Amino acid sequence: MWQAQGVLRTVNDSSLAPTMPPTRWYDGLAQYQQQGIAHVLATVVAVNGSAPRALQAKMVITVDSCCDTLGGGGLEHDVMTTARQLLNGEMEATVSKSSKKEKSSKKDLNSEMESQPAKAVRRDTVYTKHYPLGAKLAQCCGGSVTVMFECFNVTPPLSILVFGAGHVAAALMTILAELPCQVDWVDSRSEMFEPYLINKPSQTDGFYQETETLSTLKQPVLYQLPAHIRPHVSDDPVDFIRPFIEPFIKQCPQRFILIMTHDHGLDFELVRAAVEVSLATTIDGTNEDTDKALIDNDSAKPSVPYIGCIGSATKAKRFKDRLLQRGYSEQTVDKLTMPIGLPIGGKEPMAVAISIAAQILQHYHNHDYQQ
């Protein structure tokens, strides 16, 4: 059974930003795991003598926040610095030397190892660091601790922005619910998310009664969906594209935008907006003179995100022709995925959803999106 999540049901709310950081490490670990945010779990795994925290004390560190504490002071400062160096790929460690017994039997090998330069610490492994709590850390505890660093979500997660909550999208969510990904699901029709509501409004004479008071507006709407699938009700779904693409254009150039709304006109506007935002961000990172920058700009060869739109071959041709007429280059238009999904056959919503999920996974695992 999916875990219920609280999501604020708002209109014209295109914010995809995470909430305020939690204060306890286990809350932070759960939140950052669900949101796919890169983080480090730092754990005290050994204590000798006096120390500010006990064995197994933990804290969670991201690139710009942290939760819980390992005791503060110079120890915690160095732990946070080390964790962020790991997240940024800046941590280096010298190659470990062999034991005395190995030195006597493998002299030449040791001399070769000692001459090797420092190597970057692999962020997909566990890293430990020993801290004497003395003058170097400006702490007078007198003991020492060893801290273990575990990195999570260092590789950008599979992130998907889905427009439309019809039959195919609903079937797709049952598949994405079982995959390690982050999904933002947008539709302008609040009734399309009603089957997932836990705290449904009362119904009288066939009409829903919703009291527009301050207290009810502040209450979150609970959906029976996994925490990594976040539904949004918005009258302006286009507003979700820029905050989805811009923050990650350098870290993960290709994110996945799936367009499958009930309105072909809206589908086209979403496709055009996705192309425009991604090209503008890649070319110069600004919003000024976007159309001029996009027209005949093949020399720039920007990286266009995966943009897929549901529909027939006829609809795809019409969309591409309209984009070409508006000045977008043929190279850019050819990168769009229309119709969406692998050609595996079947027109049932679940069959189409399977073809879409398979295509996303194929692109994600066979290309450089994880690097």
Side-chain angles (χ1 to χ4, degrees):
M1 182 65 68
W2 291 338
Q3 181 182 0
Q5 62 165 323
V7 180
L8 286 176
R9 178 177 161 193
T10 58
V11 177
N12 297 326
D13 181 9
S14 60
S15 174
L16 301 181
T19 57
M20 293 296 292
T23 56
R24 301 306 302 270
W25 69 267
Y26 44 81
D27 293 327
L29 189 64
Q31 177 176 310
Y32 299 140
Q33 289 280 355
Q34 291 169 358
Q35 295 177 345
I37 296 174
H39 59 282
V40 171
L41 175 63
T43 306
V44 176
V45 294
V47 176
N48 293 307
S50 299
R53 291 297 304 273
L55 191 67
Q56 296 184 337
K58 304 177 190 293
M59 71 180 297
V60 178
I61 304 104
T62 69
V63 292
D64 55 6
S65 64
C66 66
C67 53
D68 228 314
T69 178
L70 292 187
L75 169 63
E76 186 167 303
H77 176 76
D78 191 273
V79 166
M80 293 174 63
T81 300
T82 300
R84 286 166 180 159
Q85 288 176 337
L86 286 169
L87 290 175
N88 295 326
E90 301 169 353
M91 176 62 64
E92 292 185 348
T94 55
V95 178
S96 58
K97 297 182 180 180
S98 304
S99 63
K100 290 182 179 180
K101 183 177 180 181
E102 290 174 326
K103 284 183 179 179
S104 60
S105 60
K106 300 179 181 179
K107 242 181 186 182
D108 296 337
L109 178 61
N110 285 337
S111 60
E112 180 182 348
M113 289 177 63
E114 290 176 7
S115 64
Q116 291 179 356
K119 292 185 176 181
V121 174
R122 289 179 55 190
R123 294 181 291 175
D124 57 351
T125 60
V126 174
Y127 176 72
T128 58
K129 189 172 182 179
H130 183 68
Y131 292 94
L133 302 175
K136 187 175 181 180
L137 291 177
Q139 294 191 221
C140 56
C141 299
S144 65
V145 299
T146 301
V147 178
M148 177 176 68
F149 298 83
E150 299 174 271
C151 295
F152 298 92
N153 296 332
V154 175
T155 299
L158 173 59
S159 298
I160 308 170
L161 177 60
V162 180
F163 292 102
H167 297 297
V168 174
L172 180 62
M173 293 305 151
T174 65
I175 301 173
L176 298 180
E178 304 298 328
L179 295 175
C181 58
Q182 298 295 313
V183 182
D184 286 285
W185 190 12
V186 184
D187 201 296
S188 60
R189 304 163 295 170
S190 60
E191 64 271 16
M192 300 307 293
F193 294 118
E194 284 180 0
Y196 307 98
L197 283 175
I198 295 177
N199 52 343
K200 293 184 180 181
S202 60
Q203 187 175 11
T204 305
D205 297 328
F207 295 96
Y208 287 110
Q209 294 182 340
E210 295 188 7
T211 305
E212 297 295 335
T213 63
L214 184 60
S215 60
T216 56
L217 288 175
K218 288 184 177 180
Q219 292 178 356
V221 176
L222 298 178
Y223 293 96
Q224 191 70 16
L225 287 168
H228 67 276
I229 298 178
R230 298 174 289 272
H232 306 270
V233 179
S234 175
D235 288 338
D236 296 306
V238 173
D239 292 342
F240 281 78
I241 292 176
R242 185 173 296 277
F244 181 78
I245 294 177
E246 279 189 340
F248 301 93
I249 196 69
K250 293 181 179 180
Q251 180 186 21
C252 184
Q254 186 148 7
R255 310 194 98 198
F256 294 82
I257 300 175
L258 310 180
I259 299 167
M260 50 183 78
T261 78
H262 61 293
D263 185 337
H264 284 202
L266 178 58
D267 283 351
F268 179 77
E269 289 305 316
L270 288 167
V271 169
R272 183 181 184 277
V275 172
E276 186 170 352
V277 169
S278 60
L279 291 181
T281 306
T282 305
I283 292 171
D284 57 12
T286 66
N287 303 332
E288 299 178 0
D289 299 327
T290 300
D291 290 331
K292 293 180 180 179
L294 297 178
I295 296 175
D296 297 328
N297 198 5
D298 288 345
S299 59
K301 295 184 179 180
S303 175
V304 179
Y306 175 101
I307 303 169
C309 183
I310 198 169
S312 63
T314 301
K315 177 183 175 181
K317 184 178 186 305
R318 288 177 179 173
F319 276 28
K320 290 181 179 180
D321 288 344
R322 290 178 65 184
L323 290 170
L324 290 172
Q325 291 171 3
R326 295 196 180 200
Y328 294 93
S329 69
E330 186 174 350
Q331 177 195 21
T332 297
V333 173
D334 287 342
K335 290 181 180 179
L336 303 177
T337 304
M338 296 185 294
I340 195 173
L342 297 178
I344 60 178
K347 294 186 177 181
E348 300 82 2
M350 182 54 74
V352 178
I354 290 172
S355 73
I356 294 172
Q359 188 176 61
I360 292 172
L361 291 174
Q362 182 184 64
H363 277 259
Y364 181 70
H365 290 293
N366 292 350
H367 293 74
D368 296 331
Y369 312 149
Q370 300 184 68
Q371 293 182 2

